[in-house]
């Protein structure tokens, strides 16, 4: 992660449920928030992420994400209302590789209660873009075979993915070739999130009519009457 990447402005993007998340690089000042993010996870989710439920792993993960800038490493966090809801990282481990074959290890964590909302997928999409700009051609990841959520995330990205089972673990390789299948998958996810973001407007559960008044025949009163007679069942 280079200084120019750290200086890039945050990106605001839609999650699968239509809510807005802020995507930006993890900074040294995020250390306490990231440690709290991990420490709030249930033991089972910690185990799936770190292969153990040790709280020491949470501290080490925060240390790594907020360490000084180093080549081949990138950490992005997602936040809503100032709360960290996800973190994704890749690390080449200092291996340069060749121009045709340079890989990085990737890891993803999402806050409890916020799974299935596209947080991890959105972070990985941004990591893919960053990795390609650095000449990285593939991501690798180790996951427990029972970690169905992260395995499904990799499978549904739209990128060519290979799996190798090694006992209770699965070794995943995600090739970062930019092709029409991946672009179509990203576009479809963005379109679905856009539709979800409009649902509160187009299918509201409550409506406020400002200026309805009590005078029969007034414009505000007419709007209120049309809502009542038009089949709206919300408040």
């Amino acid at each position: 992660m280079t200084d120019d990447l750290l200086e890039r402005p945050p990106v605001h993007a839609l999650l699968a449920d239509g809510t807005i998340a802020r995507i930006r690089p993890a900074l040294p000042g995020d250390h306490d928030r990231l440690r709290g993010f991990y420490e709030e996870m249930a033991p089972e989710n910690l185990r799936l992420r770190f292969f153990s439920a040790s709280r020491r792993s949470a501290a080490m993960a925060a240390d790594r994400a907020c360490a000084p800038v180093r080549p081949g490493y990138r950490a992005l966090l997602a936040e809503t209302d100032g709360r960290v809801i996800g973190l994704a990282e890749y690390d080449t481990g200092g291996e340069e590789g060749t121009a045709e074959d340079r890989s990085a290890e990737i890891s993803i964590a999402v806050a409890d209660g916020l799974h299935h909302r596209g947080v991890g997928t959105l972070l990985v999409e941004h990591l893919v873009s960053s990795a390609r700009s650095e000449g990285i051609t593939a991501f690798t990841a180790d996951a427990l075979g029972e970690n169905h959520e992260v395995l499904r995330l990799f499978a549904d990205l739209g990128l060519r993915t290979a799996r190798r089972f090694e006992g209770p673990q699965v070794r995943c390789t995600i090739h970062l070739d930019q092709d029409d299948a991946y672009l179509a998958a990203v576009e479809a996810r963005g379109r679905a999130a856009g539709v979800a973001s409009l649902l509160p407007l187009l299918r509201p559960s409550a409506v406020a009519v400002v200026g309805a008044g009590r005078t029969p025949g007034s414009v505000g009163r007419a709007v209120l009457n049309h809502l009542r007679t038009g089949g709206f069942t919300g408040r």
Side-chain angles (χ1 to χ4, degrees):
M1 181 162 51
T2 58
D3 291 316
D4 64 313
L5 289 174
L6 286 174
E7 293 171 358
R8 290 181 183 177
V11 174
H12 292 82
L14 291 173
L15 299 179
D17 63 355
T19 57
I20 298 175
R22 188 170 180 253
I23 309 295
R24 64 172 178 82
L27 303 171
D30 294 314
H31 185 276
D32 289 346
R33 297 172 65 220
L34 282 174
R35 182 168 181 171
F37 161 75
Y38 281 116
E39 290 179 343
E40 289 173 1
M41 284 187 182
E44 177 61 11
N45 286 333
L46 275 180
R47 186 182 69 83
L48 291 175
R49 167 62 184 87
F50 298 112
F51 297 9
S52 76
S54 169
R55 296 292 171 179
R56 176 61 182 156
S57 299
M60 293 173 64
D63 292 344
R64 181 176 62 251
C66 298
V69 174
R70 59 193 184 279
Y73 178 79
R74 178 90 158 125
L76 291 178
L77 60 83
E79 56 187 359
T80 57
D81 299 322
R83 176 195 175 198
V84 176
I85 61 171
L87 179 74
E89 314 157 77
Y90 70 66
D91 193 349
T92 63
E95 298 293 332
E96 291 298 326
T98 66
E100 296 79 22
D101 183 18
R102 186 173 182 232
S103 64
E105 188 84 14
I106 187 175
S107 60
I108 308 155
V110 176
D112 288 2
L114 293 175
H115 294 206
H116 310 294
R117 292 176 59 181
V119 177
T121 300
L122 187 62
L123 285 168
V124 172
E125 286 179 359
H126 284 269
L127 279 186
V128 168
S129 177
S130 176
R132 283 174 171 162
S133 70
E134 294 192 54
I136 295 170
T137 58
F139 284 153
T140 59
D142 291 319
L144 291 174
E146 62 196 273
N147 194 346
H148 304 297
E149 292 186 2
V150 76
L151 293 176
R152 188 180 303 112
L153 185 159
F154 293 149
D156 292 345
L157 279 173
L159 294 169
R160 184 164 53 93
T161 303
R163 296 182 182 182
R164 186 175 74 249
F165 290 84
E166 301 174 350
Q169 298 181 23
V170 184
R171 180 70 169 176
C172 300
T173 302
I174 303 109
H175 300 276
L176 306 186
D177 313 313
Q178 184 166 345
D179 56 22
D180 291 341
Y182 176 66
L183 296 177
V186 172
E187 182 181 355
R189 287 191 287 267
R191 187 166 54 248
V195 170
S197 72
L198 292 173
L199 287 180
L201 174 65
L202 301 179
R203 295 181 182 174
S205 59
V207 174
V209 181
V210 180
R214 298 182 179 276
T215 305
S218 67
V219 174
R221 199 68 181 177
V223 170
L224 181 60
N225 288 336
H226 282 303
L227 282 171
R228 285 175 169 171
T229 60
F232 181 69
T233 57
R235 294 190 298 117

